[in-house]
Amino acid sequence: MTVFVRRVSRELGVDLSLETRHEGGQTIIEVGGEIDVYTAPKLRDKITELVGNGEYNLVIDMEKVDFLDSTGLGVLVGGLKKVRAHDGSMRLICNQERLLKIFRITGLAKVFVIHGSQADALAER
Amino acid sequence: MTVFVRRVSRELGVDLSLETRHEGGQTIIEVGGEIDVYTAPKLRDKITELVGNGEYNLVIDMEKVDFLDSTGLGVLVGGLKKVRAHDGSMRLICNQERLLKIFRITGLAKVFVIHGSQADALAER
Amino acid sequence: MRRGVTRTSTGITVSIARDPALVRTVRLIAAAVARRASPDEEFVEEVRLAVGEACALMVGESASDAGPVTVRLALDTRLCVDVVAAGPVAMADSFDSDVDGVEPWALLRGLIDDLSIERDGDSTTLSMSWPVSAVA
Amino acid sequence: MRRGVTRTSTGITVSIARDPALVRTVRLIAAAVARRASPDEEFVEEVRLAVGEACALMVGESASDAGPVTVRLALDTRLCVDVVAAGPVAMADSFDSDVDGVEPWALLRGLIDDLSIERDGDSTTLSMSWPVSAVA
Ligand SMILES: Nc1ncnc2c1ncn2[C@@H]1O[C@H](COP(=O)(O)OP(=O)(O)O)[C@@H](O)[C@H]1O
Ligand SMILES: Nc1ncnc2c1ncn2[C@@H]1O[C@H](COP(=O)(O)OP(=O)(O)O)[C@@H](O)[C@H]1O
């Protein structure tokens, strides 16, 4: 069913969705759709906005992300640098093998703390 | 949900499915997927095979058809000619407005008997 | 990593070998471009059907070694689609028809009001277009 | 209405304006072609990612008036994909990186063993390929 929805959203041309919540001093950004050369600037702007508002502890929930390219990775790394400059943190939630593979190939699996679920992410903070 | 499934089958590259049943002296061909320049020959071959076996009363059920182009129309008209040459009949089942429009535009809505459902088709024979 | 670049038009051109199996891929592209122009699924379906039909006609016209069929899609104040193929295209009813008024071109002509067909040297171009509102 | 034509290879070429929004459409095409080569969804995803990545790199490289990016997909005993763009392409890490060993090309190089990059006059071609079994 996940595969199902993923494909449909692809053909439908849904691009990126961003939903922000606050929980226990953390800011959770739930990202959905495709993070690519076209949509990544929207995620970058959102992160910049949050950091500008003094929110330095970010959790990026990528469970509903269908696609990620190097532009998306660049935005995540850029975000990590930004929060670190304020002694903050940025952790990722991702349990999709397709995406984890991308972090491994680029060596970024060692750079990010990646949790399997929101529950894990909030428990282990 | 129909729209949903239609899109998924499109991106998945499912092309044409054909299922044949016999009911009350009629042969019902349930067609699924896309009837286009690539797949129409399969439908043509199926009709030719049935007519070759002496099955002259065909019902083409197009409820699960996602796409139809002029090649598909040509195959349907060709099939109609073939069964008529044996005093047979070929009726269509279709209640999708997108497809009915194609029959109207080409004037074929007047050439074919088109039923809204299998129940109608079998009742009105 | 550019962003927010201003642009007045956006275009995509696809050339396929004369392989009927590739026509579906062209339909996929046409639908994707149409969807950028408008989320109206009826419009998207119309573009998918018309472009697929034009492409199928050109692909079906000749042998597979007759060179590619090229489809240009441009999105501006209109969505303009040209389908170009080398060689002549038979525009008339080439088969003996016992059903009056039906022919492969009937569908395309019925779908597209402003369908234009042009011969230029060795190639034939089918052009069609649709008005679009603002492009996102 | 041809059918059963024997063919040894099938190809599709797509050219897009340097508009990041069109890269997704190229991914759609790449996935459709890959799916013809194999129904293995892992393979399809790999092709989608690699072709999209190559295309994004080329599209992101320069201004939108730098001419189109062309993607050629050919399916034979291998699925071969060339991504061609006018102008030079910066292959090195062009930004100050404080995370060691990461750069935009890392992903593509990691995905494709036989990635080749060629300059020919004014244009740059990225080539990649995958073995495929029989083509349906
Ligand atoms: N686009 C179309 N619209 C309506 N009728 C069509 C169309 N294409 C073909 N036909 C009709 O279909 C019939 C069969 O054509 P064709 O597909 O070449 O089949 P066959 O080889 O069985 O004769 C033709 O006589 C023609 O009248
Ligand atoms: N494909 C990639 N893989 C890994 N890291 C990358 C990739 N692309 C960019 N980066 C990293 O992301 C960081 C941010 O790059 P960039 O997207 O240009 O953002 P910014 O404008 O915030 O600096 C760079 O320092 C680089 O190390």
Side-chain angles (χ1 to χ4, degrees), chain A residues 74-85:
Chain A
V75 167
L76 294 175
V77 174
L80 185 63
K81 289 191 201 167
K82 282 187 197 101
V83 294
R84 280 195 181 155

Side-chain angles (χ1 to χ4, degrees), chain B residues 103-114:
Chain B
F103 285 98
R104 279 198 304 270
I105 289 175
T106 53
L108 291 175
K110 288 180 208 133
V111 173
F112 287 103
V113 177
I114 304 178

Side-chain angles (χ1 to χ4, degrees), chain D residues 17-69:
Chain D
R18 297 208 186 197
D19 174 354
L22 295 173
V23 173
R24 150 190 282 159
T25 307
V26 174
R27 290 200 298 270
L28 211 57
I29 299 165
V33 173
R35 205 167 277 124
R36 279 207 71 204
S38 162
D40 174 6
E41 281 299 310
E42 214 177 302
F43 167 74
V44 172
E45 281 309 312
E46 190 178 310
V47 173
R48 183 199 295 270
L49 178 59
V51 176
E53 187 64 25
C55 203
L57 287 171
M58 299 291 237
V59 164
E61 276 298 327
S62 30
S64 57
D65 56 2
V69 172

Side-chain angles (χ1 to χ4, degrees), chain D residues 17-133:
Chain D
R18 297 208 186 197
D19 174 354
L22 295 173
V23 173
R24 150 190 282 159
T25 307
V26 174
R27 290 200 298 270
L28 211 57
I29 299 165
V33 173
R35 205 167 277 124
R36 279 207 71 204
S38 162
D40 174 6
E41 281 299 310
E42 214 177 302
F43 167 74
V44 172
E45 281 309 312
E46 190 178 310
V47 173
R48 183 199 295 270
L49 178 59
V51 176
E53 187 64 25
C55 203
L57 287 171
M58 299 291 237
V59 164
E61 276 298 327
S62 30
S64 57
D65 56 2
V69 172
T70 298
V71 183
R72 285 191 297 257
L73 301 111
L75 196 51
D76 206 331
T77 55
R78 296 182 73 84
L79 170 59
C80 297
V81 183
D82 288 344
V83 182
V84 189
V89 170
M91 250 83 70
D93 208 351
S94 58
F95 32 67
D96 60 317
S97 165
D98 62 9
V99 182
D100 284 339
V102 294
E103 41 108 22
W105 290 82
L107 180 55
L108 196 57
R109 290 191 196 277
L111 283 170
I112 307 294
D113 298 330
D114 70 343
L115 180 71
S116 96
I117 302 161
E118 264 177 50
R119 292 293 313 273
D120 177 18
D122 184 42
S123 74
T124 303
T125 301
L126 292 187
S127 302
M128 53 193 101
S129 71
W130 292 264
V132 294
S133 30

